[in-house]
Amino acid sequence: MYHERDVSLHLKYREEMWNILGEKVIPPKLFIKGRYIGGADEVIGLHEMGWLGKILEGTPTISNDCLCIGCANMGFTICSTCCGSCKVFINNGDNNNNECFLRCHDCNENGLVKCPICCC
Ligand SMILES: [Zn+2]
Ligand SMILES: [Zn+2]
């Protein structure tokens, strides 16, 4: 069972990864049971040495094949507040052209919110 975090979809994921690893690294980076394993080269190396299976021992093996009906396993859905535009229309209630657009506070920089079904 794995969870993919697409850092290009959510700035906070990238910042979290940079914070944990202490430098501005480029994905893919693999973590197993919360421990940093490495990038693609390190993981392939571990696999070739037969260590990857040992590291994965004891991890849940629930299949990730079934698609989430909320997000198709993207982990994010389009913000319903702003429809992904990151802008919300505000009308102050009077008729003096006080209408304006504000930055939507419900979603991230890409107009996305975490999937409420699989990413609670
Ligand atoms: Zn929004
Ligand atoms: Zn989902």
Side-chain angles (χ1 to χ4, degrees), residues 32-83:
I32 298 175
K33 293 182 247 181
R35 264 184 57 198
Y36 177 58
I37 303 301
D41 292 342
E42 288 95 334
V43 172
I44 289 167
L46 285 171
H47 175 62
E48 282 171 351
M49 288 185 286
W51 292 350
L52 192 60
K54 285 197 173 60
I55 297 170
L56 286 167
E57 260 171 31
T59 55
T61 53
I62 299 162
S63 164
N64 237 11
D65 291 344
C66 54
L67 283 181
C68 171
I69 55 163
C71 66
N73 291 9
M74 295 286 290
F76 290 94
T77 59
I78 303 233
C79 175
S80 59
T81 307
C82 65
C83 299

Side-chain angles (χ1 to χ4, degrees), residues 7-56:
V7 298
S8 68
L9 291 180
H10 194 48
L11 219 59
K12 286 201 176 109
Y13 282 168
R14 194 181 68 184
E15 284 164 2
E16 194 181 334
M17 182 176 74
W18 286 356
N19 275 337
I20 290 168
L21 299 180
E23 55 182 326
K24 295 185 174 181
V25 295
I26 297 165
K29 298 293 174 195
L30 179 70
F31 293 81
I32 298 175
K33 293 182 247 181
R35 264 184 57 198
Y36 177 58
I37 303 301
D41 292 342
E42 288 95 334
V43 172
I44 289 167
L46 285 171
H47 175 62
E48 282 171 351
M49 288 185 286
W51 292 350
L52 192 60
K54 285 197 173 60
I55 297 170
L56 286 167

Side-chain angles (χ1 to χ4, degrees), residues 5 53 55 62 68 91 111 114-115 117:
R5 286 185 163 190
I55 297 170
I62 299 162
C68 171
N91 186 332
K114 282 187 186 176
C115 174
I117 296 169

Side-chain angles (χ1 to χ4, degrees), residues 91-116:
N91 186 332
N92 288 340
D94 53 38
N95 293 322
N96 298 326
N97 280 336
N98 279 340
E99 299 168 336
C100 62
F101 288 102
L102 290 181
R103 173 71 174 86
C104 176
H105 290 294
D106 292 337
C107 55
N108 72 7
E109 69 283 358
N110 292 313
L112 299 170
V113 291
K114 282 187 186 176
C115 174

